[in-house]
Amino acid sequence: MKTISIEGMHCQHCVGAVTEALKAVAGVTSVSVDLEGKKAVVEGTAADAALKEAVEDTGFDVVGIQ
């Protein structure tokens, strides 16, 4: 499980965009995006670089991945 800290999400549309982008990454089995917590929890075997690229391609900033 990885937690991605994300800046720039403001509404449920943002949450949807990030969720869809992360679900499309190879190796991702589960995605949960928390708007108030400014984070996404991802389960699976995806590489950090692929997760970061997916989020940033939707227009948001990845602050960190743990």
Side-chain angles (χ1 to χ4, degrees):
M1 182 173 71
K2 297 180 183 184
T3 301
I4 307 168
S5 299
I6 303 168
E7 289 291 334
M9 295 188 299
H10 301 290
C11 63
Q12 289 303 316
H13 180 267
C14 298
V15 169
V18 171
T19 300
E20 290 305 310
L22 289 171
K23 282 184 177 179
V25 175
V28 171
T29 57
S30 169
V31 176
S32 175
V33 179
D34 177 1
L35 179 62
E36 289 185 17
K38 298 182 179 181
K39 65 184 178 181
V41 176
V42 178
E43 293 188 31
T45 58
D48 289 1
L51 297 172
K52 181 177 180 180
E53 183 179 357
V55 172
E56 292 185 343
D57 282 351
T58 61
F60 305 104
D61 295 319
V62 172
V63 180
I65 299 177
Q66 297 180 350

PDB file of all heavy atoms in Angstrom, residues 11-41:
ATOM      1  N   CYS A  11     -12.356  19.603  -5.354  1.00  0.00           N
ATOM      2  CA  CYS A  11     -13.750  19.162  -5.390  1.00  0.00           C
ATOM      3  C   CYS A  11     -13.839  17.682  -5.758  1.00  0.00           C
ATOM      4  O   CYS A  11     -12.821  17.037  -6.016  1.00  0.00           O
ATOM      5  CB  CYS A  11     -14.531  19.990  -6.423  1.00  0.00           C
ATOM      6  SG  CYS A  11     -13.921  19.754  -8.118  1.00  0.00           S
ATOM      7  N   GLN A  12     -15.056  17.161  -5.785  1.00  0.00           N
ATOM      8  CA  GLN A  12     -15.240  15.758  -6.115  1.00  0.00           C
ATOM      9  C   GLN A  12     -14.855  15.446  -7.565  1.00  0.00           C
ATOM     10  O   GLN A  12     -14.473  14.329  -7.876  1.00  0.00           O
ATOM     11  CB  GLN A  12     -16.694  15.338  -5.848  1.00  0.00           C
ATOM     12  CG  GLN A  12     -17.027  15.261  -4.369  1.00  0.00           C
ATOM     13  CD  GLN A  12     -16.118  14.313  -3.603  1.00  0.00           C
ATOM     14  OE1 GLN A  12     -15.822  13.208  -4.029  1.00  0.00           O
ATOM     15  NE2 GLN A  12     -15.638  14.752  -2.444  1.00  0.00           N
ATOM     16  N   HIS A  13     -14.944  16.441  -8.433  1.00  0.00           N
ATOM     17  CA  HIS A  13     -14.494  16.232  -9.823  1.00  0.00           C
ATOM     18  C   HIS A  13     -12.995  15.949  -9.836  1.00  0.00           C
ATOM     19  O   HIS A  13     -12.515  15.080 -10.567  1.00  0.00           O
ATOM     20  CB  HIS A  13     -14.819  17.456 -10.684  1.00  0.00           C
ATOM     21  CG  HIS A  13     -14.377  17.303 -12.097  1.00  0.00           C
ATOM     22  ND1 HIS A  13     -13.154  17.743 -12.545  1.00  0.00           N
ATOM     23  CD2 HIS A  13     -14.984  16.732 -13.165  1.00  0.00           C
ATOM     24  CE1 HIS A  13     -13.023  17.452 -13.827  1.00  0.00           C
ATOM     25  NE2 HIS A  13     -14.129  16.841 -14.229  1.00  0.00           N
ATOM     26  N   CYS A  14     -12.241  16.675  -9.017  1.00  0.00           N
ATOM     27  CA  CYS A  14     -10.793  16.446  -8.890  1.00  0.00           C
ATOM     28  C   CYS A  14     -10.534  15.024  -8.390  1.00  0.00           C
ATOM     29  O   CYS A  14      -9.668  14.319  -8.910  1.00  0.00           O
ATOM     30  CB  CYS A  14     -10.172  17.438  -7.911  1.00  0.00           C
ATOM     31  SG  CYS A  14     -10.303  19.174  -8.372  1.00  0.00           S
ATOM     32  N   VAL A  15     -11.291  14.615  -7.381  1.00  0.00           N
ATOM     33  CA  VAL A  15     -11.151  13.271  -6.815  1.00  0.00           C
ATOM     34  C   VAL A  15     -11.393  12.223  -7.896  1.00  0.00           C
ATOM     35  O   VAL A  15     -10.651  11.257  -8.034  1.00  0.00           O
ATOM     36  CB  VAL A  15     -12.116  13.069  -5.625  1.00  0.00           C
ATOM     37  CG1 VAL A  15     -12.168  11.606  -5.205  1.00  0.00           C
ATOM     38  CG2 VAL A  15     -11.714  13.954  -4.458  1.00  0.00           C
ATOM     39  N   GLY A  16     -12.437  12.430  -8.695  1.00  0.00           N
ATOM     40  CA  GLY A  16     -12.762  11.498  -9.770  1.00  0.00           C
ATOM     41  C   GLY A  16     -11.659  11.407 -10.800  1.00  0.00           C
ATOM     42  O   GLY A  16     -11.314  10.313 -11.268  1.00  0.00           O
ATOM     43  N   ALA A  17     -11.101  12.555 -11.158  1.00  0.00           N
ATOM     44  CA  ALA A  17     -10.035  12.585 -12.163  1.00  0.00           C
ATOM     45  C   ALA A  17      -8.803  11.838 -11.665  1.00  0.00           C
ATOM     46  O   ALA A  17      -8.199  11.050 -12.396  1.00  0.00           O
ATOM     47  CB  ALA A  17      -9.683  14.027 -12.515  1.00  0.00           C
ATOM     48  N   VAL A  18      -8.429  12.075 -10.420  1.00  0.00           N
ATOM     49  CA  VAL A  18      -7.258  11.403  -9.839  1.00  0.00           C
ATOM     50  C   VAL A  18      -7.524   9.904  -9.700  1.00  0.00           C
ATOM     51  O   VAL A  18      -6.663   9.080 -10.024  1.00  0.00           O
ATOM     52  CB  VAL A  18      -6.885  12.027  -8.472  1.00  0.00           C
ATOM     53  CG1 VAL A  18      -5.822  11.191  -7.765  1.00  0.00           C
ATOM     54  CG2 VAL A  18      -6.392  13.456  -8.666  1.00  0.00           C
ATOM     55  N   THR A  19      -8.720   9.550  -9.261  1.00  0.00           N
ATOM     56  CA  THR A  19      -9.079   8.130  -9.099  1.00  0.00           C
ATOM     57  C   THR A  19      -8.962   7.395 -10.430  1.00  0.00           C
ATOM     58  O   THR A  19      -8.340   6.325 -10.512  1.00  0.00           O
ATOM     59  CB  THR A  19     -10.510   7.989  -8.543  1.00  0.00           C
ATOM     60  OG1 THR A  19     -10.577   8.637  -7.264  1.00  0.00           O
ATOM     61  CG2 THR A  19     -10.891   6.525  -8.382  1.00  0.00           C
ATOM     62  N   GLU A  20      -9.560   7.955 -11.481  1.00  0.00           N
ATOM     63  CA  GLU A  20      -9.518   7.313 -12.802  1.00  0.00           C
ATOM     64  C   GLU A  20      -8.091   7.210 -13.326  1.00  0.00           C
ATOM     65  O   GLU A  20      -7.705   6.193 -13.910  1.00  0.00           O
ATOM     66  CB  GLU A  20     -10.405   8.069 -13.793  1.00  0.00           C
ATOM     67  CG  GLU A  20     -11.889   7.927 -13.497  1.00  0.00           C
ATOM     68  CD  GLU A  20     -12.347   6.479 -13.405  1.00  0.00           C
ATOM     69  OE1 GLU A  20     -12.045   5.683 -14.319  1.00  0.00           O
ATOM     70  OE2 GLU A  20     -13.002   6.134 -12.403  1.00  0.00           O
ATOM     71  N   ALA A  21      -7.298   8.256 -13.133  1.00  0.00           N
ATOM     72  CA  ALA A  21      -5.909   8.244 -13.606  1.00  0.00           C
ATOM     73  C   ALA A  21      -5.106   7.145 -12.911  1.00  0.00           C
ATOM     74  O   ALA A  21      -4.343   6.420 -13.552  1.00  0.00           O
ATOM     75  CB  ALA A  21      -5.260   9.609 -13.374  1.00  0.00           C
ATOM     76  N   LEU A  22      -5.288   7.017 -11.599  1.00  0.00           N
ATOM     77  CA  LEU A  22      -4.536   6.015 -10.846  1.00  0.00           C
ATOM     78  C   LEU A  22      -5.008   4.598 -11.167  1.00  0.00           C
ATOM     79  O   LEU A  22      -4.199   3.674 -11.248  1.00  0.00           O
ATOM     80  CB  LEU A  22      -4.625   6.288  -9.341  1.00  0.00           C
ATOM     81  CG  LEU A  22      -3.844   7.519  -8.866  1.00  0.00           C
ATOM     82  CD1 LEU A  22      -4.178   7.832  -7.422  1.00  0.00           C
ATOM     83  CD2 LEU A  22      -2.346   7.323  -9.042  1.00  0.00           C
ATOM     84  N   LYS A  23      -6.316   4.420 -11.370  1.00  0.00           N
ATOM     85  CA  LYS A  23      -6.833   3.092 -11.707  1.00  0.00           C
ATOM     86  C   LYS A  23      -6.289   2.612 -13.049  1.00  0.00           C
ATOM     87  O   LYS A  23      -6.201   1.415 -13.295  1.00  0.00           O
ATOM     88  CB  LYS A  23      -8.366   3.117 -11.754  1.00  0.00           C
ATOM     89  CG  LYS A  23      -9.012   3.083 -10.394  1.00  0.00           C
ATOM     90  CD  LYS A  23     -10.527   3.012 -10.529  1.00  0.00           C
ATOM     91  CE  LYS A  23     -11.194   2.899  -9.174  1.00  0.00           C
ATOM     92  NZ  LYS A  23     -12.666   2.856  -9.297  1.00  0.00           N
ATOM     93  N   ALA A  24      -5.928   3.548 -13.922  1.00  0.00           N
ATOM     94  CA  ALA A  24      -5.436   3.192 -15.252  1.00  0.00           C
ATOM     95  C   ALA A  24      -3.966   2.753 -15.250  1.00  0.00           C
ATOM     96  O   ALA A  24      -3.473   2.225 -16.235  1.00  0.00           O
ATOM     97  CB  ALA A  24      -5.618   4.373 -16.199  1.00  0.00           C
ATOM     98  N   VAL A  25      -3.269   2.973 -14.129  1.00  0.00           N
ATOM     99  CA  VAL A  25      -1.855   2.598 -14.043  1.00  0.00           C
ATOM    100  C   VAL A  25      -1.737   1.083 -13.886  1.00  0.00           C
ATOM    101  O   VAL A  25      -2.420   0.483 -13.052  1.00  0.00           O
ATOM    102  CB  VAL A  25      -1.165   3.312 -12.853  1.00  0.00           C
ATOM    103  CG1 VAL A  25       0.268   2.833 -12.689  1.00  0.00           C
ATOM    104  CG2 VAL A  25      -1.217   4.825 -13.036  1.00  0.00           C
ATOM    105  N   ALA A  26      -0.867   0.478 -14.685  1.00  0.00           N
ATOM    106  CA  ALA A  26      -0.650  -0.968 -14.613  1.00  0.00           C
ATOM    107  C   ALA A  26      -0.184  -1.372 -13.218  1.00  0.00           C
ATOM    108  O   ALA A  26       0.705  -0.741 -12.650  1.00  0.00           O
ATOM    109  CB  ALA A  26       0.381  -1.386 -15.650  1.00  0.00           C
ATOM    110  N   GLY A  27      -0.806  -2.400 -12.664  1.00  0.00           N
ATOM    111  CA  GLY A  27      -0.412  -2.906 -11.354  1.00  0.00           C
ATOM    112  C   GLY A  27      -1.248  -2.386 -10.208  1.00  0.00           C
ATOM    113  O   GLY A  27      -1.161  -2.877  -9.090  1.00  0.00           O
ATOM    114  N   VAL A  28      -2.102  -1.378 -10.457  1.00  0.00           N
ATOM    115  CA  VAL A  28      -2.941  -0.830  -9.391  1.00  0.00           C
ATOM    116  C   VAL A  28      -4.181  -1.706  -9.229  1.00  0.00           C
ATOM    117  O   VAL A  28      -4.879  -1.992 -10.195  1.00  0.00           O
ATOM    118  CB  VAL A  28      -3.356   0.630  -9.711  1.00  0.00           C
ATOM    119  CG1 VAL A  28      -4.397   1.119  -8.713  1.00  0.00           C
ATOM    120  CG2 VAL A  28      -2.136   1.544  -9.689  1.00  0.00           C
ATOM    121  N   THR A  29      -4.447  -2.127  -7.989  1.00  0.00           N
ATOM    122  CA  THR A  29      -5.605  -2.977  -7.727  1.00  0.00           C
ATOM    123  C   THR A  29      -6.711  -2.236  -6.980  1.00  0.00           C
ATOM    124  O   THR A  29      -7.867  -2.632  -7.036  1.00  0.00           O
ATOM    125  CB  THR A  29      -5.200  -4.220  -6.922  1.00  0.00           C
ATOM    126  OG1 THR A  29      -4.575  -3.802  -5.707  1.00  0.00           O
ATOM    127  CG2 THR A  29      -4.232  -5.092  -7.710  1.00  0.00           C
ATOM    128  N   SER A  30      -6.367  -1.161  -6.274  1.00  0.00           N
ATOM    129  CA  SER A  30      -7.356  -0.426  -5.488  1.00  0.00           C
ATOM    130  C   SER A  30      -6.902   1.018  -5.323  1.00  0.00           C
ATOM    131  O   SER A  30      -5.709   1.284  -5.141  1.00  0.00           O
ATOM    132  CB  SER A  30      -7.499  -1.083  -4.117  1.00  0.00           C
ATOM    133  OG  SER A  30      -8.241  -0.269  -3.233  1.00  0.00           O
ATOM    134  N   VAL A  31      -7.875   1.950  -5.388  1.00  0.00           N
ATOM    135  CA  VAL A  31      -7.573   3.375  -5.212  1.00  0.00           C
ATOM    136  C   VAL A  31      -8.620   3.990  -4.298  1.00  0.00           C
ATOM    137  O   VAL A  31      -9.812   3.776  -4.473  1.00  0.00           O
ATOM    138  CB  VAL A  31      -7.606   4.130  -6.565  1.00  0.00           C
ATOM    139  CG1 VAL A  31      -7.385   5.625  -6.346  1.00  0.00           C
ATOM    140  CG2 VAL A  31      -6.584   3.581  -7.530  1.00  0.00           C
ATOM    141  N   SER A  32      -8.179   4.773  -3.328  1.00  0.00           N
ATOM    142  CA  SER A  32      -9.068   5.542  -2.469  1.00  0.00           C
ATOM    143  C   SER A  32      -8.490   6.942  -2.342  1.00  0.00           C
ATOM    144  O   SER A  32      -7.369   7.117  -1.859  1.00  0.00           O
ATOM    145  CB  SER A  32      -9.174   4.887  -1.090  1.00  0.00           C
ATOM    146  OG  SER A  32      -9.941   5.704  -0.225  1.00  0.00           O
ATOM    147  N   VAL A  33      -9.246   7.957  -2.812  1.00  0.00           N
ATOM    148  CA  VAL A  33      -8.762   9.331  -2.776  1.00  0.00           C
ATOM    149  C   VAL A  33      -9.503  10.098  -1.686  1.00  0.00           C
ATOM    150  O   VAL A  33     -10.726  10.058  -1.599  1.00  0.00           O
ATOM    151  CB  VAL A  33      -8.953  10.022  -4.148  1.00  0.00           C
ATOM    152  CG1 VAL A  33      -8.460  11.460  -4.095  1.00  0.00           C
ATOM    153  CG2 VAL A  33      -8.217   9.256  -5.243  1.00  0.00           C
ATOM    154  N   ASP A  34      -8.750  10.797  -0.848  1.00  0.00           N
ATOM    155  CA  ASP A  34      -9.290  11.577   0.277  1.00  0.00           C
ATOM    156  C   ASP A  34      -9.079  13.057  -0.018  1.00  0.00           C
ATOM    157  O   ASP A  34      -7.953  13.558   0.055  1.00  0.00           O
ATOM    158  CB  ASP A  34      -8.565  11.154   1.556  1.00  0.00           C
ATOM    159  CG  ASP A  34      -8.986  11.950   2.782  1.00  0.00           C
ATOM    160  OD1 ASP A  34      -9.869  12.830   2.675  1.00  0.00           O
ATOM    161  OD2 ASP A  34      -8.421  11.699   3.861  1.00  0.00           O
ATOM    162  N   LEU A  35     -10.168  13.761  -0.353  1.00  0.00           N
ATOM    163  CA  LEU A  35     -10.085  15.176  -0.706  1.00  0.00           C
ATOM    164  C   LEU A  35      -9.589  16.019   0.464  1.00  0.00           C
ATOM    165  O   LEU A  35      -8.658  16.812   0.319  1.00  0.00           O
ATOM    166  CB  LEU A  35     -11.453  15.676  -1.178  1.00  0.00           C
ATOM    167  CG  LEU A  35     -11.558  17.157  -1.559  1.00  0.00           C
ATOM    168  CD1 LEU A  35     -10.637  17.478  -2.722  1.00  0.00           C
ATOM    169  CD2 LEU A  35     -12.999  17.510  -1.909  1.00  0.00           C
ATOM    170  N   GLU A  36     -10.201  15.855   1.634  1.00  0.00           N
ATOM    171  CA  GLU A  36      -9.820  16.650   2.797  1.00  0.00           C
ATOM    172  C   GLU A  36      -8.398  16.348   3.268  1.00  0.00           C
ATOM    173  O   GLU A  36      -7.679  17.236   3.715  1.00  0.00           O
ATOM    174  CB  GLU A  36     -10.809  16.443   3.941  1.00  0.00           C
ATOM    175  CG  GLU A  36     -12.156  17.087   3.679  1.00  0.00           C
ATOM    176  CD  GLU A  36     -13.096  16.973   4.870  1.00  0.00           C
ATOM    177  OE1 GLU A  36     -12.629  16.697   5.998  1.00  0.00           O
ATOM    178  OE2 GLU A  36     -14.305  17.152   4.663  1.00  0.00           O
ATOM    179  N   GLY A  37      -8.008  15.085   3.164  1.00  0.00           N
ATOM    180  CA  GLY A  37      -6.674  14.684   3.600  1.00  0.00           C
ATOM    181  C   GLY A  37      -5.603  14.950   2.557  1.00  0.00           C
ATOM    182  O   GLY A  37      -4.417  14.769   2.820  1.00  0.00           O
ATOM    183  N   LYS A  38      -6.025  15.387   1.359  1.00  0.00           N
ATOM    184  CA  LYS A  38      -5.107  15.677   0.256  1.00  0.00           C
ATOM    185  C   LYS A  38      -4.200  14.491  -0.047  1.00  0.00           C
ATOM    186  O   LYS A  38      -2.984  14.626  -0.171  1.00  0.00           O
ATOM    187  CB  LYS A  38      -4.260  16.925   0.558  1.00  0.00           C
ATOM    188  CG  LYS A  38      -5.073  18.182   0.734  1.00  0.00           C
ATOM    189  CD  LYS A  38      -4.159  19.365   0.967  1.00  0.00           C
ATOM    190  CE  LYS A  38      -4.958  20.647   1.127  1.00  0.00           C
ATOM    191  NZ  LYS A  38      -4.093  21.806   1.339  1.00  0.00           N
ATOM    192  N   LYS A  39      -4.823  13.306  -0.157  1.00  0.00           N
ATOM    193  CA  LYS A  39      -4.010  12.118  -0.402  1.00  0.00           C
ATOM    194  C   LYS A  39      -4.802  11.058  -1.144  1.00  0.00           C
ATOM    195  O   LYS A  39      -6.029  11.104  -1.209  1.00  0.00           O
ATOM    196  CB  LYS A  39      -3.495  11.545   0.911  1.00  0.00           C
ATOM    197  CG  LYS A  39      -4.603  11.019   1.819  1.00  0.00           C
ATOM    198  CD  LYS A  39      -4.050  10.545   3.144  1.00  0.00           C
ATOM    199  CE  LYS A  39      -5.183  10.059   4.047  1.00  0.00           C
ATOM    200  NZ  LYS A  39      -4.690   9.616   5.342  1.00  0.00           N
ATOM    201  N   ALA A  40      -4.067  10.112  -1.693  1.00  0.00           N
ATOM    202  CA  ALA A  40      -4.651   8.930  -2.316  1.00  0.00           C
ATOM    203  C   ALA A  40      -3.932   7.720  -1.756  1.00  0.00           C
ATOM    204  O   ALA A  40      -2.707   7.730  -1.604  1.00  0.00           O
ATOM    205  CB  ALA A  40      -4.497   8.981  -3.830  1.00  0.00           C
ATOM    206  N   VAL A  41      -4.693   6.676  -1.440  1.00  0.00           N
ATOM    207  CA  VAL A  41      -4.115   5.421  -0.983  1.00  0.00           C
ATOM    208  C   VAL A  41      -4.290   4.420  -2.114  1.00  0.00           C
ATOM    209  O   VAL A  41      -5.397   4.208  -2.608  1.00  0.00           O
ATOM    210  CB  VAL A  41      -4.797   4.924   0.304  1.00  0.00           C
ATOM    211  CG1 VAL A  41      -4.235   3.571   0.714  1.00  0.00           C
ATOM    212  CG2 VAL A  41      -4.608   5.941   1.427  1.00  0.00           C
TER     213      VAL A  41
END
